[in-house]
Amino acid sequence: MPVRLLAAAVLAVEAIGILALAAWQVVALAGGDSDSVTSSIALIVLTVIGAVAVGAFAVATARGVSAGRSGGIVTQLLILSVALGAVTGEWAEPGLAALIAVPAVVGLILLILAVRQAAPRTRRDGA
């Protein structure tokens, strides 16, 4: 199985996870666990847009499109920044941070390997 397909699979799972987060936000809004309905709806819309973007990166990566790999790498770096935020601060959760960071590191490695595989090979004749 090509590395690009494994990288695409990681991105697809992350897109599903982001959609699950949006569903959780909808449940919180419906349950009255929100101070501002307008802000909550805006956050839900942005979360769904993010999930669609990550899903598009997954499809593009599976097809071998460079923009998908680039977007996927940026996505992994953003996820790692969230993990860093989860491990620092007053209410630090190292377990949660690891749960967030491990898939992002795996995805980042797979995407970098996919970039290397897609790079054109130069022939070195020694001349």
Side-chain angles (χ1 to χ4, degrees):
M1 173 177 278
V3 175
R4 67 181 168 83
L5 294 180
L6 292 173
V10 169
L11 286 169
V13 169
E14 289 172 345
I16 292 168
I18 296 169
L19 281 176
L21 178 61
W24 182 27
Q25 292 169 342
V26 169
V27 169
L29 178 62
D33 192 21
S34 177
D35 289 336
S36 170
V37 173
T38 305
S39 293
S40 296
I41 291 171
L43 183 60
I44 292 165
V45 169
L46 289 174
T47 303
V48 170
I49 290 170
V52 169
V54 175
F57 296 151
V59 170
T61 299
R63 291 182 176 179
V65 178
S66 175
R69 293 187 301 268
S70 299
I73 288 171
V74 170
T75 299
Q76 302 316 302
L77 294 175
L78 290 171
I79 293 170
L80 286 171
S81 71
V82 170
L84 179 63
V87 80
T88 59
E90 189 174 341
W91 294 286
E93 290 285 338
L96 179 62
L99 188 66
I100 294 169
V102 170
V105 170
V106 170
L108 185 60
I109 291 169
L110 289 172
L111 285 162
I112 290 171
L113 291 174
V115 168
R116 290 183 52 86
Q117 276 188 351
R121 301 287 180 218
T122 58
R123 208 171 97 190
R124 297 177 190 226
D125 292 330

